[in-house]
Amino acid sequence: DTLWDLAVAEVEKRENAEGDGEGAEVSEKSVLFVGSKNGVTTNTAILFCLFFSFDREEILKPTLALEYTFGRRARRHNTPKDIAHFWELGGGTSLQELIRVPITSSNIGAFAIVLVLDLSRPNELWTTMESLLQVTRSHVNKILTKLGKTNPEVVTEIKQRMWNNLQKDHPDYELVDPFPLPLVIIGSKYDIFHEFDSEMRKIISKTLRFVSHYYGASLVFTSKSEALLLKARILINNLAFGIDKSKSVSVDHSRPLFIPAGLDSLHQIGPPPAADSDIGKLHANTPLELWKKVFEKTFPPKSSCDLQYTKDPAQDLQYAEYEVDVMRAQKNQ
């Protein structure tokens, strides 16, 4: 055989081998990680532990603003790899306006949110959660309103998908308000949280269970533990690559919570953790507002000013560039 004969044979062999995956549609999804500023490296740690080679003893640099990476995964042998775009917002709530950068009308149909909350700082928990989810929901609603004028079918599909995790015969079907995008809430630093007083842990756990169920979200507590990271991986893989999520549930407040969306109920969660006499004195228009007031009575929130990211990134050594820094020093002088 000549060189050309061998080349033709090799190409035909490859084409035949790839025939099984021919015509397979490539899935392309996006996931945005947002969360507490005190755990800005937590999102990155989880992401790298799940999808990339990563040394857990390595000291991670915090995310400055908005960072991007991506991952690929083949559904089966000889098929095109699905693509997942990963965005991470640093700085807690101080840079929340950047949320509108990755979420656009062109990708909103395949977008998901991962909210990482620092369990070791309960006084910041509700403020961080409420602020980031409100900004995200407001931006998504604006996109859907605009998109509804040109492509109403897509908007209808997105709104129907909001209810996918809750069966119509679920007793809470009329009592919840699903988030417009698939949502996973991760409670990080469980190793520190586990040392809290049992009553404090119960209040935080029950509150996050209610919020997650109310928004149609999945909830998982995690730390650097292999077993807990594996549970977080299951939920994130579901968002990024559509892999089936586990049906197992852990609702014991003395153990790390793991509750996939739609597998909890208001009856199992119970009432807000406060005396009936105290609840009667609280004026709330919605169940969510009632839980907020009960939670903040035990954990008074920090002001939004306290949660701002005040460090000047220009002075951060991880972004040092000699030529630029010299020019800047001359300008300042």
Side-chain angles (χ1 to χ4, degrees):
D1 292 340
T2 67
L3 181 61
W4 292 114
D5 293 331
L6 293 172
V8 170
E10 178 66 21
V11 170
E12 290 177 348
K13 180 181 176 182
R14 291 182 183 180
E15 287 178 346
N16 291 334
E18 294 172 0
D20 294 338
E22 194 172 326
E25 187 176 348
V26 175
S27 168
E28 193 167 345
K29 297 185 178 182
S30 299
V31 181
L32 171 63
F33 287 75
V34 297
S36 306
K37 75 164 187 175
N38 295 294
V40 288
T41 61
T42 301
N43 308 7
T44 307
I46 292 172
L47 188 60
F48 276 75
C49 284
L50 300 188
F51 300 106
F52 305 101
S53 175
F54 175 66
D55 179 5
R56 289 200 179 92
E57 300 304 317
E58 180 184 347
I59 298 176
L60 287 172
K61 296 176 181 178
T63 300
L64 175 63
L66 191 63
E67 292 193 359
Y68 168 81
T69 188
F70 68 94
R72 289 195 179 103
R73 185 185 182 113
R75 272 172 278 185
R76 53 188 179 275
H77 185 60
N78 286 337
T79 59
K81 291 185 177 181
D82 294 335
I83 302 170
H85 304 278
F86 297 107
W87 298 84
E88 183 193 0
L89 179 69
T93 60
S94 62
L95 301 172
Q96 60 190 17
E97 292 304 316
L98 289 178
I99 284 174
R100 66 174 182 262
V101 174
I103 308 176
T104 65
S105 58
S106 61
N107 65 14
I108 195 169
F111 212 99
I113 304 294
V114 175
L115 173 64
V116 183
L117 299 173
D118 188 344
L119 295 175
S120 69
R121 297 176 178 266
N123 298 84
E124 301 175 8
L125 191 148
W126 191 284
T127 304
T128 299
M129 174 179 65
E130 183 178 56
S131 180
L132 289 170
L133 291 184
Q134 281 182 351
V135 168
T136 304
R137 187 165 211 159
S138 175
H139 176 61
V140 169
N141 287 339
K142 288 179 182 177
I143 291 177
L144 293 180
T145 300
K146 187 175 180 180
L147 195 60
K149 298 176 181 178
T150 58
N151 203 338
E153 296 83 7
V154 173
V155 175
T156 301
E157 182 182 343
I158 291 173
K159 290 184 176 180
Q160 287 177 343
R161 189 183 61 189
M162 292 164 53
W163 295 93
N164 284 352
N165 291 319
L166 209 62
Q167 301 296 326
K168 288 190 175 181
D169 59 353
H170 194 289
D172 304 331
Y173 193 81
E174 301 292 335
L175 303 175
V176 297
D177 183 20
F179 201 70
L181 297 178
L183 174 65
V184 168
I185 297 178
I186 295 178
S188 67
K189 301 186 182 178
Y190 178 79
D191 49 339
I192 300 175
F193 171 76
H194 187 60
E195 302 300 322
F196 284 8
D197 173 76
S198 61
E199 191 59 30
M200 291 174 62
R201 282 190 279 119
K202 183 178 180 181
I203 294 172
I204 296 170
S205 296
K206 286 189 68 172
T207 300
L208 287 179
R209 281 182 66 187
F210 172 80
V211 171
S212 299
H213 183 59
Y214 184 77
Y215 282 132
S218 297
L219 175 65
V220 60
F221 285 0
T222 190
S223 65
K224 292 183 179 180
S225 159
E226 286 278 358
L228 297 186
L229 282 171
L230 180 60
K231 291 189 174 183
R233 175 180 185 172
I234 292 170
L235 297 177
I236 297 174
N237 268 325
N238 174 255
L239 298 181
F241 300 108
I243 297 172
D244 291 341
K245 54 191 174 187
S246 172
K247 295 294 183 182
S248 65
V249 177
S250 175
V251 296
D252 184 351
H253 298 141
S254 64
R255 301 175 61 82
L257 298 183
F258 178 76
I259 312 173
L263 299 185
D264 210 344
S265 70
L266 296 177
H267 175 72
Q268 290 178 311
I269 297 169
D276 292 341
S277 57
D278 292 335
I279 291 179
K281 297 175 184 177
L282 299 174
H283 300 286
N285 296 320
T286 65
L288 189 66
E289 190 177 342
L290 176 63
W291 277 83
K292 175 184 178 180
K293 291 189 174 184
V294 170
F295 183 81
E296 291 186 342
K297 187 174 182 181
T298 305
F299 304 105
K302 289 190 176 183
S303 68
S304 57
C305 294
D306 294 333
L307 299 177
Q308 294 300 307
Y309 191 77
T310 55
K311 183 179 178 181
D312 181 4
Q315 305 302 321
D316 195 323
L317 294 179
Q318 70 169 309
Y319 303 110
E321 293 187 47
Y322 178 76
E323 292 82 359
V324 175
D325 295 339
V326 168
M327 294 298 292
R328 177 163 184 162
Q330 290 179 6
K331 181 177 184 297
N332 291 340
Q333 186 178 9

